[in-house]
Amino acid sequence: MQTSGYNNRRQYNQIANYAYTEQVVNLAVKAQSPKEYMEKVKSQIKGEQIKIGEIDKWEDLQQNLKMNCIPQSIFEVAADNYQKFLDVRRTLMAKKIRNYYSRL
């Protein structure tokens, strides 16, 4: 994010920007935009060499996104629409937490 003009830690060090990833995945995506690395994940699903993570089925990817409250816009996210992505993800996270507590 820093290389995309988001130099203030408050802009990129926030809960809606965090996602648990294995170190090997984190190194594979490095400074790429989500749009760039999600294209590689989509290629994996189409049968190309696995380069990021282990997801090789569309259903698994969709389930992973849902579990982690990642909006479908992840496939288009770049620096210019980062804030909108965070807003949508915060909403998804809040809904998940609300649903969890309502089931207690």
Side-chain angles (χ1 to χ4, degrees), residues 39-97:
E39 282 300 319
K40 292 177 182 174
V41 173
K42 288 194 297 189
S43 294
Q44 292 174 188
I45 291 170
K46 293 177 182 174
E48 294 181 23
Q49 180 183 3
I50 292 181
K51 296 180 181 179
I52 298 176
E54 298 177 7
I55 294 176
D56 62 356
K57 293 181 181 69
W58 184 252
E59 297 79 19
D60 293 344
L61 175 59
Q62 291 300 313
Q63 182 63 27
N64 186 282
L65 296 176
K66 182 178 179 182
M67 276 187 348
N68 290 286
C69 304
I70 306 292
Q72 289 295 312
S73 65
I74 190 72
F75 298 104
E76 303 302 324
V77 173
D80 61 339
N81 53 6
Y82 168 67
Q83 191 59 51
K84 172 106 171 112
F85 166 81
L86 292 179
D87 293 342
V88 173
R89 185 158 190 231
R90 279 189 205 98
T91 300
L92 292 172
M93 293 168 82
K95 286 179 183 178
K96 185 171 190 164
I97 292 167

CSV table of all heavy atoms in Angstrom, one decimal, residues 39-97:
chain,number,residue,atom,x,y,z
A,39,GLU,N,-5.9,-12.3,-10.3
A,39,GLU,CA,-5.8,-12.9,-11.6
A,39,GLU,C,-5.0,-14.1,-11.6
A,39,GLU,O,-5.3,-15.1,-12.3
A,39,GLU,CB,-5.2,-11.8,-12.6
A,39,GLU,CG,-6.2,-10.7,-13.0
A,39,GLU,CD,-7.4,-11.3,-13.7
A,39,GLU,OE1,-7.3,-12.2,-14.6
A,39,GLU,OE2,-8.5,-10.8,-13.5
A,40,LYS,N,-3.9,-14.2,-10.8
A,40,LYS,CA,-3.1,-15.4,-10.7
A,40,LYS,C,-3.9,-16.5,-10.1
A,40,LYS,O,-3.8,-17.7,-10.5
A,40,LYS,CB,-1.8,-15.1,-10.0
A,40,LYS,CG,-0.9,-14.2,-10.8
A,40,LYS,CD,0.3,-13.8,-10.0
A,40,LYS,CE,1.2,-12.8,-10.8
A,40,LYS,NZ,2.3,-12.3,-10.1
A,41,VAL,N,-4.7,-16.2,-9.1
A,41,VAL,CA,-5.5,-17.2,-8.4
A,41,VAL,C,-6.5,-17.7,-9.4
A,41,VAL,O,-6.7,-19.0,-9.5
A,41,VAL,CB,-6.1,-16.6,-7.1
A,41,VAL,CG1,-7.1,-17.7,-6.6
A,41,VAL,CG2,-5.1,-16.3,-6.1
A,42,LYS,N,-7.1,-16.8,-10.2
A,42,LYS,CA,-8.1,-17.3,-11.2
A,42,LYS,C,-7.4,-18.2,-12.2
A,42,LYS,O,-8.0,-19.2,-12.7
A,42,LYS,CB,-8.8,-16.1,-11.8
A,42,LYS,CG,-9.8,-15.4,-10.9
A,42,LYS,CD,-10.7,-14.5,-11.6
A,42,LYS,CE,-10.1,-13.3,-12.3
A,42,LYS,NZ,-11.1,-12.3,-12.7
A,43,SER,N,-6.2,-17.9,-12.6
A,43,SER,CA,-5.5,-18.8,-13.5
A,43,SER,C,-5.2,-20.2,-12.9
A,43,SER,O,-5.3,-21.2,-13.6
A,43,SER,CB,-4.1,-18.1,-13.9
A,43,SER,OG,-4.3,-16.9,-14.6
A,44,GLN,N,-4.9,-20.2,-11.6
A,44,GLN,CA,-4.7,-21.5,-10.9
A,44,GLN,C,-6.0,-22.3,-11.0
A,44,GLN,O,-6.0,-23.5,-11.3
A,44,GLN,CB,-4.4,-21.3,-9.5
A,44,GLN,CG,-3.1,-20.7,-9.2
A,44,GLN,CD,-2.9,-20.4,-7.7
A,44,GLN,OE1,-1.9,-19.7,-7.4
A,44,GLN,NE2,-3.8,-20.8,-6.8
A,45,ILE,N,-7.1,-21.7,-10.9
A,45,ILE,CA,-8.4,-22.4,-10.9
A,45,ILE,C,-8.7,-22.9,-12.3
A,45,ILE,O,-9.3,-24.0,-12.5
A,45,ILE,CB,-9.6,-21.4,-10.5
A,45,ILE,CG1,-9.4,-21.1,-9.0
A,45,ILE,CG2,-10.9,-22.0,-10.8
A,45,ILE,CD1,-10.3,-20.0,-8.4
A,46,LYS,N,-8.1,-22.2,-13.3
A,46,LYS,CA,-8.3,-22.7,-14.7
A,46,LYS,C,-7.3,-23.8,-15.1
A,46,LYS,O,-7.2,-24.2,-16.2
A,46,LYS,CB,-8.1,-21.5,-15.6
A,46,LYS,CG,-9.3,-20.5,-15.5
A,46,LYS,CD,-9.0,-19.4,-16.4
A,46,LYS,CE,-10.1,-18.3,-16.3
A,46,LYS,NZ,-9.8,-17.1,-17.0
A,47,GLY,N,-6.5,-24.2,-14.1
A,47,GLY,CA,-5.6,-25.3,-14.3
A,47,GLY,C,-4.1,-25.0,-14.5
A,47,GLY,O,-3.3,-25.9,-14.7
A,48,GLU,N,-3.8,-23.7,-14.4
A,48,GLU,CA,-2.4,-23.3,-14.6
A,48,GLU,C,-1.7,-23.6,-13.3
A,48,GLU,O,-2.3,-23.9,-12.3
A,48,GLU,CB,-2.3,-21.8,-15.0
A,48,GLU,CG,-2.9,-21.6,-16.4
A,48,GLU,CD,-2.8,-20.1,-16.8
A,48,GLU,OE1,-1.9,-19.4,-16.2
A,48,GLU,OE2,-3.6,-19.7,-17.7
A,49,GLN,N,-0.4,-23.4,-13.3
A,49,GLN,CA,0.5,-23.7,-12.2
A,49,GLN,C,0.1,-22.9,-11.0
A,49,GLN,O,-0.3,-21.7,-11.1
A,49,GLN,CB,1.9,-23.4,-12.5
A,49,GLN,CG,2.9,-23.6,-11.4
A,49,GLN,CD,4.3,-23.2,-11.8
A,49,GLN,OE1,4.6,-22.7,-12.8
A,49,GLN,NE2,5.2,-23.4,-10.8
A,50,ILE,N,0.1,-23.6,-9.8
A,50,ILE,CA,-0.3,-22.9,-8.6
A,50,ILE,C,0.9,-22.1,-8.1
A,50,ILE,O,2.0,-22.6,-7.9
A,50,ILE,CB,-0.7,-23.9,-7.5
A,50,ILE,CG1,-2.0,-24.6,-7.9
A,50,ILE,CG2,-0.8,-23.3,-6.1
A,50,ILE,CD1,-2.6,-25.6,-7.0
A,51,LYS,N,0.7,-20.8,-8.0
A,51,LYS,CA,1.7,-19.8,-7.6
A,51,LYS,C,1.4,-19.1,-6.2
A,51,LYS,O,2.3,-18.7,-5.6
A,51,LYS,CB,1.9,-18.8,-8.6
A,51,LYS,CG,2.4,-19.4,-9.9
A,51,LYS,CD,2.6,-18.3,-11.0
A,51,LYS,CE,3.1,-18.9,-12.3
A,51,LYS,NZ,3.3,-17.9,-13.3
A,52,ILE,N,0.1,-19.0,-5.9
A,52,ILE,CA,-0.3,-18.3,-4.7
A,52,ILE,C,-1.3,-19.2,-3.9
A,52,ILE,O,-2.4,-19.5,-4.4
A,52,ILE,CB,-1.0,-17.0,-5.1
A,52,ILE,CG1,-0.1,-16.1,-5.8
A,52,ILE,CG2,-1.6,-16.3,-3.8
A,52,ILE,CD1,-0.7,-14.8,-6.3
A,53,GLY,N,-0.9,-19.7,-2.8
A,53,GLY,CA,-1.7,-20.5,-1.9
A,53,GLY,C,-2.0,-21.8,-2.6
A,53,GLY,O,-1.2,-22.3,-3.4
A,54,GLU,N,-3.1,-22.5,-2.2
A,54,GLU,CA,-3.4,-23.8,-2.7
A,54,GLU,C,-4.8,-23.9,-3.3
A,54,GLU,O,-5.2,-25.0,-3.6
A,54,GLU,CB,-3.2,-24.8,-1.5
A,54,GLU,CG,-1.8,-24.9,-1.0
A,54,GLU,CD,-1.7,-25.8,0.2
A,54,GLU,OE1,-2.7,-26.5,0.6
A,54,GLU,OE2,-0.6,-25.8,0.8
A,55,ILE,N,-5.4,-22.8,-3.4
A,55,ILE,CA,-6.8,-22.8,-4.0
A,55,ILE,C,-6.8,-23.1,-5.5
A,55,ILE,O,-6.1,-22.4,-6.2
A,55,ILE,CB,-7.6,-21.5,-3.7
A,55,ILE,CG1,-7.7,-21.4,-2.1
A,55,ILE,CG2,-8.9,-21.5,-4.4
A,55,ILE,CD1,-8.4,-20.1,-1.7
A,56,ASP,N,-7.5,-24.2,-5.9
A,56,ASP,CA,-7.6,-24.5,-7.3
A,56,ASP,C,-9.0,-24.8,-7.8
A,56,ASP,O,-9.2,-25.3,-8.8
A,56,ASP,CB,-6.6,-25.7,-7.6
A,56,ASP,CG,-7.0,-27.0,-6.8
A,56,ASP,OD1,-8.0,-26.9,-6.0
A,56,ASP,OD2,-6.4,-28.0,-7.0
A,57,LYS,N,-10.0,-24.4,-6.9
A,57,LYS,CA,-11.4,-24.6,-7.3
A,57,LYS,C,-12.1,-23.3,-7.0
A,57,LYS,O,-11.9,-22.7,-6.0
A,57,LYS,CB,-12.0,-25.7,-6.5
A,57,LYS,CG,-11.4,-27.1,-6.9
A,57,LYS,CD,-12.1,-28.2,-6.1
A,57,LYS,CE,-11.6,-29.5,-6.4
A,57,LYS,NZ,-10.2,-29.7,-6.0
A,58,TRP,N,-13.0,-22.9,-7.9
A,58,TRP,CA,-13.8,-21.6,-7.8
A,58,TRP,C,-14.6,-21.7,-6.5
A,58,TRP,O,-14.7,-20.7,-5.8
A,58,TRP,CB,-14.6,-21.4,-9.0
A,58,TRP,CG,-15.4,-20.1,-9.0
A,58,TRP,CD1,-16.7,-20.0,-8.8
A,58,TRP,CD2,-14.9,-18.8,-9.1
A,58,TRP,NE1,-17.1,-18.6,-8.8
A,58,TRP,CE2,-15.9,-17.9,-9.0
A,58,TRP,CE3,-13.6,-18.3,-9.3
A,58,TRP,CZ2,-15.8,-16.5,-9.1
A,58,TRP,CZ3,-13.4,-16.9,-9.4
A,58,TRP,CH2,-14.5,-16.1,-9.3
A,59,GLU,N,-15.2,-22.8,-6.2
A,59,GLU,CA,-16.0,-22.9,-5.0
A,59,GLU,C,-15.2,-22.7,-3.7
A,59,GLU,O,-15.7,-22.1,-2.8
A,59,GLU,CB,-16.7,-24.3,-5.0
A,59,GLU,CG,-17.7,-24.6,-6.1
A,59,GLU,CD,-17.0,-25.0,-7.4
A,59,GLU,OE1,-15.8,-25.4,-7.4
A,59,GLU,OE2,-17.6,-24.8,-8.5
A,60,ASP,N,-14.0,-23.2,-3.7
A,60,ASP,CA,-13.1,-23.1,-2.6
A,60,ASP,C,-12.7,-21.6,-2.4
A,60,ASP,O,-12.7,-21.1,-1.3
A,60,ASP,CB,-11.9,-23.9,-2.7
A,60,ASP,CG,-12.1,-25.4,-2.6
A,60,ASP,OD1,-13.2,-25.8,-2.2
A,60,ASP,OD2,-11.3,-26.2,-3.0
A,61,LEU,N,-12.5,-20.9,-3.5
A,61,LEU,CA,-12.1,-19.5,-3.5
A,61,LEU,C,-13.3,-18.7,-2.9
A,61,LEU,O,-13.1,-17.9,-2.0
A,61,LEU,CB,-11.7,-19.0,-4.9
A,61,LEU,CG,-11.5,-17.5,-5.0
A,61,LEU,CD1,-10.3,-17.1,-4.0
A,61,LEU,CD2,-11.1,-17.1,-6.4
A,62,GLN,N,-14.5,-19.0,-3.4
A,62,GLN,CA,-15.7,-18.2,-3.0
A,62,GLN,C,-15.9,-18.5,-1.5
A,62,GLN,O,-16.3,-17.5,-0.8
A,62,GLN,CB,-16.9,-18.6,-3.8
A,62,GLN,CG,-16.8,-18.1,-5.2
A,62,GLN,CD,-16.7,-16.6,-5.3
A,62,GLN,OE1,-17.5,-15.9,-4.7
A,62,GLN,NE2,-15.8,-16.1,-6.1
A,63,GLN,N,-15.8,-19.7,-1.0
A,63,GLN,CA,-15.9,-20.0,0.4
A,63,GLN,C,-14.9,-19.3,1.2
A,63,GLN,O,-15.2,-18.7,2.3
A,63,GLN,CB,-15.9,-21.5,0.6
A,63,GLN,CG,-16.1,-21.9,2.0
A,63,GLN,CD,-17.5,-21.6,2.6
A,63,GLN,OE1,-18.4,-21.5,1.8
A,63,GLN,NE2,-17.6,-21.4,3.9
A,64,ASN,N,-13.7,-19.3,0.8
A,64,ASN,CA,-12.6,-18.6,1.5
A,64,ASN,C,-12.9,-17.1,1.6
A,64,ASN,O,-12.7,-16.5,2.6
A,64,ASN,CB,-11.3,-18.8,0.8
A,64,ASN,CG,-10.1,-18.3,1.5
A,64,ASN,OD1,-9.9,-17.1,1.5
A,64,ASN,ND2,-9.4,-19.1,2.2
A,65,LEU,N,-13.3,-16.5,0.5
A,65,LEU,CA,-13.7,-15.0,0.5
A,65,LEU,C,-14.8,-14.8,1.5
A,65,LEU,O,-14.7,-13.8,2.3
A,65,LEU,CB,-14.0,-14.6,-0.9
A,65,LEU,CG,-12.9,-14.6,-2.0
A,65,LEU,CD1,-13.5,-14.2,-3.3
A,65,LEU,CD2,-11.7,-13.8,-1.6
A,66,LYS,N,-15.8,-15.6,1.5
A,66,LYS,CA,-16.9,-15.4,2.4
A,66,LYS,C,-16.5,-15.6,3.8
A,66,LYS,O,-16.9,-14.7,4.7
A,66,LYS,CB,-18.0,-16.4,2.0
A,66,LYS,CG,-19.3,-16.3,2.9
A,66,LYS,CD,-20.3,-17.3,2.5
A,66,LYS,CE,-21.6,-17.1,3.4
A,66,LYS,NZ,-22.6,-18.1,3.1
A,67,MET,N,-15.7,-16.6,4.1
A,67,MET,CA,-15.3,-16.8,5.5
A,67,MET,C,-14.4,-15.6,6.0
A,67,MET,O,-14.5,-15.3,7.2
A,67,MET,CB,-14.4,-18.1,5.6
A,67,MET,CG,-15.1,-19.3,5.7
A,67,MET,SD,-14.1,-20.8,6.0
A,67,MET,CE,-12.5,-20.3,5.6
A,68,ASN,N,-13.7,-15.0,5.1
A,68,ASN,CA,-12.8,-13.9,5.5
A,68,ASN,C,-13.4,-12.5,5.3
A,68,ASN,O,-12.7,-11.5,5.4
A,68,ASN,CB,-11.5,-14.1,4.8
A,68,ASN,CG,-10.7,-15.2,5.4
A,68,ASN,OD1,-10.2,-15.1,6.5
A,68,ASN,ND2,-10.7,-16.3,4.6
A,69,CYS,N,-14.7,-12.5,4.9
A,69,CYS,CA,-15.4,-11.2,4.7
A,69,CYS,C,-14.8,-10.4,3.6
A,69,CYS,O,-14.6,-9.2,3.8
A,69,CYS,CB,-15.5,-10.4,6.0
A,69,CYS,SG,-16.3,-11.3,7.4
A,70,ILE,N,-14.3,-11.0,2.6
A,70,ILE,CA,-13.7,-10.3,1.5
A,70,ILE,C,-14.7,-10.1,0.4
A,70,ILE,O,-15.3,-11.0,-0.1
A,70,ILE,CB,-12.5,-11.1,0.9
A,70,ILE,CG1,-11.5,-11.6,1.9
A,70,ILE,CG2,-11.9,-10.4,-0.3
A,70,ILE,CD1,-10.7,-10.4,2.5
A,71,PRO,N,-15.0,-8.8,0.1
A,71,PRO,CA,-16.0,-8.5,-1.0
A,71,PRO,C,-15.6,-9.0,-2.3
A,71,PRO,O,-14.4,-9.2,-2.6
A,71,PRO,CB,-16.0,-7.0,-1.0
A,71,PRO,CG,-15.1,-6.5,0.1
A,71,PRO,CD,-14.3,-7.6,0.6
A,72,GLN,N,-16.5,-9.3,-3.2
A,72,GLN,CA,-16.3,-9.7,-4.5
A,72,GLN,C,-15.5,-8.7,-5.3
A,72,GLN,O,-14.8,-9.0,-6.3
A,72,GLN,CB,-17.6,-10.0,-5.3
A,72,GLN,CG,-18.3,-11.3,-4.7
A,72,GLN,CD,-17.5,-12.5,-5.0
A,72,GLN,OE1,-17.0,-12.8,-6.1
A,72,GLN,NE2,-17.3,-13.4,-4.0
A,73,SER,N,-15.5,-7.5,-4.9
A,73,SER,CA,-14.7,-6.4,-5.6
A,73,SER,C,-13.2,-6.7,-5.5
A,73,SER,O,-12.4,-6.0,-6.1
A,73,SER,CB,-15.0,-5.1,-5.0
A,73,SER,OG,-14.7,-5.0,-3.6
A,74,ILE,N,-12.8,-7.7,-4.7
A,74,ILE,CA,-11.4,-8.0,-4.6
A,74,ILE,C,-10.7,-8.2,-6.0
A,74,ILE,O,-9.5,-8.0,-6.2
A,74,ILE,CB,-11.1,-9.2,-3.7
A,74,ILE,CG1,-9.6,-9.4,-3.3
A,74,ILE,CG2,-11.7,-10.5,-4.3
A,74,ILE,CD1,-9.1,-8.4,-2.4
A,75,PHE,N,-11.5,-8.7,-6.9
A,75,PHE,CA,-11.0,-9.0,-8.2
A,75,PHE,C,-10.7,-7.7,-9.0
A,75,PHE,O,-10.1,-7.8,-10.1
A,75,PHE,CB,-12.0,-9.8,-9.0
A,75,PHE,CG,-12.2,-11.2,-8.4
A,75,PHE,CD1,-13.4,-11.4,-7.7
A,75,PHE,CD2,-11.2,-12.2,-8.5
A,75,PHE,CE1,-13.6,-12.7,-7.1
A,75,PHE,CE2,-11.4,-13.4,-7.8
A,75,PHE,CZ,-12.6,-13.6,-7.1
A,76,GLU,N,-11.1,-6.6,-8.5
A,76,GLU,CA,-10.9,-5.3,-9.2
A,76,GLU,C,-10.2,-4.2,-8.4
A,76,GLU,O,-10.0,-3.1,-8.8
A,76,GLU,CB,-12.3,-4.7,-9.7
A,76,GLU,CG,-13.1,-5.6,-10.5
A,76,GLU,CD,-12.4,-6.0,-11.8
A,76,GLU,OE1,-11.7,-5.2,-12.4
A,76,GLU,OE2,-12.6,-7.2,-12.2
A,77,VAL,N,-9.9,-4.6,-7.2
A,77,VAL,CA,-9.3,-3.6,-6.2
A,77,VAL,C,-7.9,-3.1,-6.7
A,77,VAL,O,-7.0,-3.9,-6.9
A,77,VAL,CB,-9.3,-4.1,-4.8
A,77,VAL,CG1,-8.5,-3.1,-3.9
A,77,VAL,CG2,-10.7,-4.3,-4.3
A,78,ALA,N,-7.8,-1.8,-6.8
A,78,ALA,CA,-6.5,-1.2,-7.0
A,78,ALA,C,-6.4,0.0,-6.1
A,78,ALA,O,-7.4,0.3,-5.3
A,78,ALA,CB,-6.4,-0.7,-8.5
A,79,ALA,N,-5.4,0.8,-6.1
A,79,ALA,CA,-5.2,1.9,-5.2
A,79,ALA,C,-6.3,2.9,-5.2
A,79,ALA,O,-6.7,3.4,-4.2
A,79,ALA,CB,-3.9,2.6,-5.4
A,80,ASP,N,-6.9,3.1,-6.4
A,80,ASP,CA,-7.9,4.1,-6.6
A,80,ASP,C,-9.3,3.8,-6.0
A,80,ASP,O,-10.1,4.6,-5.7
A,80,ASP,CB,-8.1,4.6,-8.0
A,80,ASP,CG,-8.5,3.4,-8.9
A,80,ASP,OD1,-8.3,2.3,-8.6
A,80,ASP,OD2,-9.0,3.7,-10.0
A,81,ASN,N,-9.5,2.5,-5.7
A,81,ASN,CA,-10.8,2.1,-5.1
A,81,ASN,C,-10.5,1.3,-3.8
A,81,ASN,O,-11.4,0.6,-3.3
A,81,ASN,CB,-11.7,1.3,-6.0
A,81,ASN,CG,-11.0,0.1,-6.7
A,81,ASN,OD1,-9.9,-0.2,-6.3
A,81,ASN,ND2,-11.7,-0.5,-7.6
A,82,TYR,N,-9.4,1.5,-3.2
A,82,TYR,CA,-9.0,0.8,-1.9
A,82,TYR,C,-10.0,1.2,-0.8
A,82,TYR,O,-10.5,0.4,0.0
A,82,TYR,CB,-7.6,1.2,-1.6
A,82,TYR,CG,-7.1,0.8,-0.2
A,82,TYR,CD1,-7.0,-0.5,0.2
A,82,TYR,CD2,-6.8,1.8,0.7
A,82,TYR,CE1,-6.6,-0.8,1.5
A,82,TYR,CE2,-6.3,1.5,2.0
A,82,TYR,CZ,-6.2,0.2,2.3
A,82,TYR,OH,-5.8,-0.1,3.6
A,83,GLN,N,-10.3,2.5,-0.7
A,83,GLN,CA,-11.1,3.0,0.4
A,83,GLN,C,-12.5,2.4,0.3
A,83,GLN,O,-13.1,1.9,1.3
A,83,GLN,CB,-11.2,4.5,0.5
A,83,GLN,CG,-11.9,5.0,1.7
A,83,GLN,CD,-11.1,4.6,3.0
A,83,GLN,OE1,-9.9,4.8,3.1
A,83,GLN,NE2,-11.8,4.1,3.9
A,84,LYS,N,-13.1,2.3,-0.8
A,84,LYS,CA,-14.4,1.6,-1.0
A,84,LYS,C,-14.4,0.2,-0.6
A,84,LYS,O,-15.3,-0.3,0.0
A,84,LYS,CB,-14.8,1.8,-2.5
A,84,LYS,CG,-16.1,1.0,-2.8
A,84,LYS,CD,-17.3,1.9,-3.0
A,84,LYS,CE,-18.5,1.2,-3.6
A,84,LYS,NZ,-19.5,1.0,-2.6
A,85,PHE,N,-13.3,-0.5,-1.0
A,85,PHE,CA,-13.1,-1.9,-0.6
A,85,PHE,C,-13.1,-2.0,0.9
A,85,PHE,O,-13.8,-2.9,1.4
A,85,PHE,CB,-11.8,-2.4,-1.2
A,85,PHE,CG,-11.4,-3.7,-0.6
A,85,PHE,CD1,-11.9,-4.9,-1.0
A,85,PHE,CD2,-10.4,-3.8,0.4
A,85,PHE,CE1,-11.5,-6.2,-0.4
A,85,PHE,CE2,-10.0,-5.0,1.0
A,85,PHE,CZ,-10.6,-6.2,0.6
A,86,LEU,N,-12.4,-1.2,1.6
A,86,LEU,CA,-12.4,-1.2,3.1
A,86,LEU,C,-13.7,-1.0,3.7
A,86,LEU,O,-14.1,-1.6,4.6
A,86,LEU,CB,-11.4,-0.2,3.6
A,86,LEU,CG,-9.9,-0.5,3.3
A,86,LEU,CD1,-9.1,0.6,3.9
A,86,LEU,CD2,-9.5,-1.8,3.9
A,87,ASP,N,-14.5,0.0,3.1
A,87,ASP,CA,-15.8,0.3,3.6
A,87,ASP,C,-16.7,-1.0,3.5
A,87,ASP,O,-17.4,-1.3,4.4
A,87,ASP,CB,-16.4,1.5,2.9
A,87,ASP,CG,-15.7,2.8,3.1
A,87,ASP,OD1,-15.0,2.8,4.1
A,87,ASP,OD2,-15.9,3.7,2.3
A,88,VAL,N,-16.7,-1.6,2.3
A,88,VAL,CA,-17.5,-2.8,2.1
A,88,VAL,C,-17.1,-3.9,3.0
A,88,VAL,O,-17.9,-4.6,3.6
A,88,VAL,CB,-17.5,-3.2,0.6
A,88,VAL,CG1,-18.2,-4.5,0.4
A,88,VAL,CG2,-18.1,-2.1,-0.3
A,89,ARG,N,-15.8,-4.1,3.2
A,89,ARG,CA,-15.3,-5.2,4.0
A,89,ARG,C,-15.7,-5.0,5.5
A,89,ARG,O,-16.1,-5.9,6.2
A,89,ARG,CB,-13.8,-5.3,3.9
A,89,ARG,CG,-13.3,-6.6,4.7
A,89,ARG,CD,-12.0,-7.1,4.3
A,89,ARG,NE,-11.8,-8.4,5.0
A,89,ARG,CZ,-10.7,-8.7,5.6
A,89,ARG,NH1,-9.7,-7.8,5.6
A,89,ARG,NH2,-10.6,-9.9,6.2
A,90,ARG,N,-15.6,-3.7,5.9
A,90,ARG,CA,-16.0,-3.4,7.3
A,90,ARG,C,-17.5,-3.8,7.5
A,90,ARG,O,-17.8,-4.4,8.6
A,90,ARG,CB,-15.8,-1.9,7.6
A,90,ARG,CG,-14.5,-1.6,8.0
A,90,ARG,CD,-14.4,-0.1,8.5
A,90,ARG,NE,-13.1,0.4,8.3
A,90,ARG,CZ,-12.7,1.2,7.2
A,90,ARG,NH1,-13.6,1.5,6.3
A,90,ARG,NH2,-11.5,1.5,7.1
A,91,THR,N,-18.3,-3.5,6.6
A,91,THR,CA,-19.7,-3.9,6.7
A,91,THR,C,-19.9,-5.4,6.7
A,91,THR,O,-20.7,-5.9,7.6
A,91,THR,CB,-20.5,-3.3,5.5
A,91,THR,OG1,-20.4,-1.9,5.5
A,91,THR,CG2,-22.0,-3.7,5.5
A,92,LEU,N,-19.2,-6.1,5.9
A,92,LEU,CA,-19.3,-7.6,5.9
A,92,LEU,C,-18.8,-8.1,7.2
A,92,LEU,O,-19.4,-9.1,7.8
A,92,LEU,CB,-18.5,-8.2,4.8
A,92,LEU,CG,-19.0,-8.0,3.4
A,92,LEU,CD1,-18.0,-8.4,2.3
A,92,LEU,CD2,-20.3,-8.6,3.2
A,93,MET,N,-17.7,-7.6,7.8
A,93,MET,CA,-17.2,-8.0,9.1
A,93,MET,C,-18.2,-7.8,10.2
A,93,MET,O,-18.4,-8.6,11.0
A,93,MET,CB,-15.8,-7.3,9.3
A,93,MET,CG,-14.7,-7.7,8.4
A,93,MET,SD,-13.3,-6.7,8.5
A,93,MET,CE,-12.5,-7.4,9.9
A,94,ALA,N,-18.8,-6.6,10.2
A,94,ALA,CA,-19.8,-6.3,11.2
A,94,ALA,C,-21.0,-7.2,11.1
A,94,ALA,O,-21.5,-7.7,12.2
A,94,ALA,CB,-20.2,-4.8,11.0
A,95,LYS,N,-21.4,-7.5,9.9
A,95,LYS,CA,-22.5,-8.5,9.8
A,95,LYS,C,-22.2,-9.9,10.3
A,95,LYS,O,-23.0,-10.5,11.0
A,95,LYS,CB,-23.0,-8.6,8.3
A,95,LYS,CG,-23.7,-7.4,7.8
A,95,LYS,CD,-24.1,-7.6,6.4
A,95,LYS,CE,-24.8,-6.3,5.8
A,95,LYS,NZ,-25.1,-6.5,4.4
A,96,LYS,N,-21.0,-10.3,10.0
A,96,LYS,CA,-20.5,-11.6,10.5
A,96,LYS,C,-20.5,-11.6,12.0
A,96,LYS,O,-21.0,-12.6,12.7
A,96,LYS,CB,-19.2,-12.0,9.9
A,96,LYS,CG,-18.7,-13.3,10.3
A,96,LYS,CD,-17.5,-13.7,9.5
A,96,LYS,CE,-17.2,-15.2,9.7
A,96,LYS,NZ,-16.2,-15.7,8.8
A,97,ILE,N,-20.0,-10.6,12.6
A,97,ILE,CA,-19.9,-10.5,14.1
A,97,ILE,C,-21.3,-10.5,14.7
A,97,ILE,O,-21.6,-11.2,15.7
A,97,ILE,CB,-19.0,-9.3,14.5
A,97,ILE,CG1,-17.6,-9.6,14.1
A,97,ILE,CG2,-19.2,-9.1,16.0
A,97,ILE,CD1,-16.7,-8.3,14.2
